[in-house]
Amino acid sequence: MASIAAACSTGLIFRSKDSENNKASMLQHNGFRASKSRAIKSMATQTVSPPKRETDPKKRIVITGMGVVSVFGNDVNTFYDKLLEGESGITLIDKFDASTFTVRFAGQIRNFSSVGYIDGKNDRRLDDCWRYCLVAGRKALDDANLGQQILETMDRTRIGVVVGSGMGGMTTFSNGVEALIQKGFKKITPFFIPYSITNMGSALLAIDRGLMGPNYSISTACATANYCFYAAANHIRRGEADIMVAGGTEAAVNPTGVGGFIACRALSQRNDKPHKASRPWDQDRDGFVIGEGAGVLIMESLEHASKRGANIIAEYLGGAITCDAHHMTDPRKDGLGISSCITKCLQDAGVSPQEVNYVNCHATSTLAGDLAEVNAIKKIFKCTSEMKMNGTKSMIGHGLGAAGGLEAIACIKAIKTGWLHPTINQDNLEPQVDIDTVPNVKKQHEVNVAISNSFGFGGHNSVVAFAPFKH
């Protein structure tokens, strides 16, 4: 069975006739060779005791707020309504002159406003990556009724932030390098380093709100946000924090980001029909579409949320992270990385495979990756007749480090509304895909347990589980 590719593209595919030669050349150039998939015993084959969900209110993790920055705006309800409508947010790029690029479209954010969240002076200096983070983070805190006045009455040493990014301040970094080459080091902005490094999103949000608890970022490419949710939950479970602000942010729709992924030959080249370019599981898919944005959750112990009378939106049941330990971009052929990650997630969540009836898939619209993910899902979930799965990226593109954050919000909104958004551009479904992908039109579905998958370059696998909150 094919494994999930550890790539942002869930299986980096070279489309030229000499694909194997191209791949070998790339690997040789980088000094890395794919190791043979080792025969490792899968957790999926081990005998485990029946799962038990966490009952300790100090260790149960609930979601009390959500914040988003997306191609559909900065409002969570509007974001999900657009997804339910099956609207594509993929358009031609106008952030920069992409006329000479072989890929000229993306899930580009337009008309972004930070008014009321970032003061004008800082707003002009900040990289978009951190602007998106600050707005999504502040909105999530507001949604959780954790405005500044309320925060000032709380013990903020027990409120932490873990918002990660795959790329960091990419525009700031690119501009700094350009200034160095063209004008010399004296023309580099003093904000070059601070606004380039990946930890700055969490740091700036903490500085802005005075949050003194655990604070760092995780950068595991396109698996980043789920890694952050997993880490944040464990801080609460260990008693190190009462509240964690967690998620992912990304702003790589710039010449360097788009050009870099073009060089990887990972992007769709459907320039004539951008809105049709992202098409998970469709036989005519030809690569992923780069996107951007931020998705942030407020994760809180049930005990703390109950004491302050918070509105509980859903429950985080558990998660898991694994590594393919195989290659920078190639999948493990035995599929162990992703299947073991799903199994470990269910064990952490105290959930049996039979309880899961919705999967928000990584589903990036790449040739090998989409099928690999489905095969891994079918390996763990023996009966999928009642299961639904969909691909959020079909409408918003691949938000890289932000993808898991945006998709977690989609999962939670599905739980709350009872409606699953469609996977659009499902015109010619792969015959191997026999799980309901919610093709083209939304469907009503009462979610029992949802899992959300994210995978990244380096073999990073991450899965998190959410469910309706029940006392």
Side-chain angles (χ1 to χ4, degrees):
M1 184 191 77
S3 168
I4 296 304
C8 297
S9 56
T10 343
L12 192 57
I13 302 301
F14 293 87
R15 287 186 294 276
S16 71
K17 293 181 181 178
D18 298 320
S19 61
E20 290 302 315
N21 291 335
N22 284 339
K23 182 164 66 176
S25 175
M26 175 186 173
L27 305 185
Q28 185 176 9
H29 173 76
N30 284 286
F32 290 93
R33 295 179 181 272
S35 61
K36 293 181 180 179
S37 294
R38 301 171 181 86
I40 303 173
K41 187 177 180 181
S42 170
M43 287 190 63
T45 65
Q46 296 177 15
T47 301
V48 295
S49 57
K52 293 182 180 180
R53 291 198 194 180
E54 182 62 64
T55 58
D56 185 347
K58 293 181 179 180
K59 295 183 179 180
R60 286 181 69 181
I61 314 295
V62 293
I63 309 302
T64 56
M66 300 188 290
V68 69
V69 171
S70 77
V71 291
F72 298 133
N74 305 344
D75 178 77
V76 167
N77 291 331
T78 301
F79 168 69
Y80 199 62
D81 286 345
K82 294 288 188 182
L83 292 178
L84 290 178
E85 291 167 13
E87 182 173 326
S88 175
I90 310 302
T91 56
L92 292 174
I93 295 168
D94 61 12
K95 259 188 176 179
F96 62 92
D97 182 7
S99 60
T100 61
F101 284 55
T102 53
V103 176
R104 298 184 290 277
F105 58 93
Q108 176 190 309
I109 290 175
R110 288 180 163 79
N111 304 315
F112 172 76
S113 174
S114 62
V115 175
Y117 295 96
I118 309 172
D119 69 76
K121 186 176 181 181
N122 284 323
D123 191 52
R124 288 189 296 273
R125 292 172 172 168
L126 282 172
D127 191 281
D128 278 347
C129 191
W130 313 136
R131 296 171 79 217
Y132 299 163
C133 173
L134 283 168
V135 171
R138 286 277 302 274
K139 280 183 167 287
L141 286 165
D142 289 346
D143 188 45
N145 194 27
L146 292 170
Q148 189 61 26
Q149 288 186 335
I150 293 176
L151 285 174
E152 288 173 358
T153 68
M154 302 174 73
D155 180 359
R156 283 179 284 178
T157 66
R158 295 189 57 79
I159 305 175
V161 187
V162 185
V163 179
S165 172
M167 303 290 197
M170 203 171 193
T171 297
T172 299
F173 186 83
S174 298
N175 291 343
V177 171
E178 185 177 355
L180 172 66
I181 293 171
Q182 294 184 357
K183 301 177 182 178
F185 77 93
K186 291 184 179 180
K187 294 299 181 181
I188 297 175
T189 171
F191 298 102
F192 171 61
I193 296 297
Y195 288 168
S196 294
I197 53 181
T198 57
N199 67 300
M200 201 48 63
S202 294
L204 290 171
L205 191 52
I207 291 167
D208 184 56
R209 300 286 90 177
L211 310 179
M212 299 175 66
N215 188 290
Y216 53 97
S217 70
I218 296 173
S219 185
T220 46
C222 307
T224 291
N226 276 5
Y227 268 70
C228 291
F229 296 141
Y230 179 71
N234 287 336
H235 282 297
I236 296 172
R237 285 175 171 174
R238 290 195 298 264
E240 298 164 357
D242 298 318
I243 299 172
M244 292 295 296
V245 185
T249 184
E250 206 76 85
V253 180
N254 53 48
T256 305
V258 176
F261 281 111
I262 290 174
C264 288
R265 302 182 185 180
L267 299 180
S268 168
Q269 296 188 359
R270 206 179 293 262
N271 291 298
D272 55 335
K273 293 182 179 179
H275 61 289
K276 294 285 188 181
S278 187
R279 43 198 316 114
W281 305 300
D282 189 86
Q283 292 185 56
D284 298 321
R285 67 194 182 280
D286 68 330
F288 79 85
V289 177
I290 192 170
E292 59 182 350
V296 176
L297 302 180
I298 304 302
M299 306 177 74
E300 189 168 356
S301 73
L302 174 58
E303 181 184 63
H304 191 271
S306 299
K307 282 183 178 178
R308 72 179 186 89
N311 176 43
I312 296 174
I313 304 169
E315 184 166 2
Y316 167 92
L317 297 180
I321 56 177
T322 65
C323 183
D324 277 357
H326 175 62
H327 182 254
M328 291 186 299
T329 59
D330 284 357
R332 285 186 65 100
K333 297 187 185 304
D334 58 11
L336 179 57
I338 182 58
S339 60
S340 65
C341 195
I342 293 174
T343 299
K344 287 182 177 183
C345 172
L346 299 185
Q347 288 184 341
D348 187 54
V351 167
S352 66
Q354 293 77 17
E355 293 178 84
V356 178
N357 65 346
Y358 169 48
V359 183
N360 187 292
C361 291
H362 190 55
T364 58
S365 183
T366 55
L367 296 177
D370 287 3
L371 292 180
E373 183 174 12
V374 172
N375 289 337
I377 289 168
K378 288 160 70 172
K379 183 177 181 180
I380 303 302
F381 304 102
K382 302 303 182 183
C383 179
T384 58
S385 60
E386 300 300 317
M387 180 177 284
K388 311 287 185 189
M389 65 182 190
N390 57 10
T392 308
K393 296 179 181 73
S394 64
M395 289 173 277
I396 64 174
H398 190 353
L400 311 176
L406 295 163
E407 289 156 8
I409 290 171
C411 270
I412 294 167
K413 288 297 290 182
I415 288 169
K416 290 295 290 181
T417 64
W419 284 94
L420 301 184
H421 73 67
T423 306
I424 67 168
N425 300 321
Q426 297 273 276
D427 301 329
N428 193 14
L429 189 66
E430 287 280 7
Q432 301 99 306
V433 181
D434 53 6
I435 304 173
D436 187 349
T437 63
V438 195
N440 301 316
V441 180
K442 66 182 179 181
K443 286 186 179 179
Q444 279 190 294
H445 186 62
E446 184 177 350
V447 178
N448 182 35
V449 174
I451 65 170
S452 181
N453 298 337
S454 289
F455 318 113
F457 276 152
H460 303 296
N461 305 308
S462 59
V463 182
V464 291
F466 300 98
F469 171 70
K470 297 176 183 178
H471 289 283

